[in-house]
Amino acid sequence: AQKITQTQPGMFVQEKEAVTLDCTYDTSDQSYGLFWYKQPSSGEMIFLIYQGSYDEQNATEGRYSLNFQKARKSANLVISASQLGDSAMYFCAMREGTGKSTFGDGTTLTVKP
Amino acid sequence: GAGVSQSPRYKVAKRGQDVALRCDPISGHVSLFWYQQALGQGPEFLTYFQNEAQLDKSGLPSDRFFAERPEGSVSTLKIQRTQQEDSAVYLCASSLGGGLREQFFGPGTRLTVL
């Protein structure tokens, strides 16, 4: 069975600094996708970044980058130059070829001014 | 609209009532997913449609939960004889195709069962 582990229930970062949110996964599939979502207090789930299991380069989207280490089964999210609006819950998710996604329990990020 | 929409946004039901939650996916999106999110936790997969076909319903917690997508567009999640443990946010997501494409989520329906 697929499993996503996010070991940091809460993280704090100073505005303008970088922060890494950890994610490890477990799967027996060879083909899968890894996703990060942001969920502000308003509740909507916002897609941030995607990494395919066969992608050789780490994914980047603006201030977000995904540190993909396949052998270690980790897919950490790096947010550079944190902003106050980055304060939210962040979820790591894995999607298998059938389309079904498994989510972690999330990390609450608080950006301090 | 451009995004996934869900209605109602909030629903309060008395224990034992039936409820129906609606999801309008992004136009042209083939795949549609339902998730249940309890407070403070990540979303849990319920069921998945590709067009009108329900390909995976392994996450539905009991036979009181039923989902349909009869014309391959709008979907309805129905919960019969609601119980307090059904209280959660129900999220709908759609994606352009199957496989590993990203999913786009709606705002969710917060269900409270009294």
Side-chain angles (χ1 to χ4, degrees):
Chain A
Q2 296 196 334
K3 184 176 172 62
I4 295 284
T5 302
Q6 294 181 254
T7 57
Q8 306 154 313
M11 287 284 286
F12 291 88
V13 65
Q14 206 66 36
E15 193 179 8
K16 300 181 185 177
E17 292 186 350
V19 63
T20 298
L21 306 184
D22 293 342
C23 172
T24 58
Y25 61 93
D26 190 21
T27 181
S28 56
D29 290 352
Q30 296 300 311
S31 178
Y32 50 89
L34 296 158
F35 300 82
W36 278 91
Y37 290 87
K38 172 184 178 181
Q39 190 175 45
S41 57
S42 54
E44 75 267 34
M45 194 76 79
I46 303 166
F47 165 74
L48 296 177
I49 196 166
Y50 162 78
Q51 178 86 43
S53 58
Y54 292 116
D55 294 342
E56 295 185 351
Q57 302 250 2
N58 284 345
T60 60
E61 289 285 349
R63 294 186 299 110
Y64 305 107
S65 60
L66 199 152
N67 184 2
F68 181 45
Q69 298 187 40
K70 193 170 182 177
R72 298 178 62 184
K73 294 190 174 179
S74 74
N76 298 341
L77 176 71
V78 180
I79 305 174
S80 62
S82 297
Q83 302 171 357
L84 295 178
D86 293 335
S87 293
M89 179 81 93
Y90 289 80
F91 289 99
C92 178
M94 176 169 54
R95 186 169 176 187
E96 59 189 78
T98 60
K100 178 178 177 178
S101 289
T102 302
F103 284 77
D105 285 335
T107 295
T108 301
L109 177 66
T110 304
V111 180
K112 296 181 176 179
Chain B
V4 179
S5 61
Q6 292 186 245
S7 61
R9 292 292 314 277
Y10 302 91
K11 177 70 179 177
V12 178
K14 291 184 179 178
R15 189 169 50 187
Q17 281 185 334
D18 298 348
V19 298
L21 312 180
R22 177 188 168 104
C23 173
D24 278 272
I26 294 172
S27 178
H29 276 198
V30 169
S31 300
L32 185 146
F33 306 82
W34 283 99
Y35 295 87
Q36 180 189 60
Q37 186 176 21
L39 190 64
Q41 297 182 15
E44 295 276 351
F45 171 82
L46 292 177
T47 187
Y48 159 52
F49 290 86
Q50 190 162 321
N51 296 306
E52 67 278 4
Q54 190 174 19
L55 299 186
D56 188 340
K57 54 181 181 178
S58 62
L60 296 176
S62 77
D63 59 7
R64 297 186 296 104
F65 286 71
F66 172 75
E68 60 183 6
R69 194 186 185 198
E71 297 179 359
S73 178
V74 170
S75 177
T76 304
L77 176 67
K78 297 179 179 178
I79 309 173
Q80 297 177 323
R81 303 181 304 282
T82 52
Q83 300 178 6
Q84 285 189 321
E85 60 262 32
D86 300 335
S87 296
V89 175
Y90 290 85
L91 294 166
C92 175
S94 70
S95 69
L96 189 58
L100 302 177
R101 290 177 179 270
E102 64 266 29
Q103 300 174 14
F104 296 91
F105 282 80
T109 295
R110 182 178 296 278
L111 173 65
T112 303
V113 182
L114 302 177

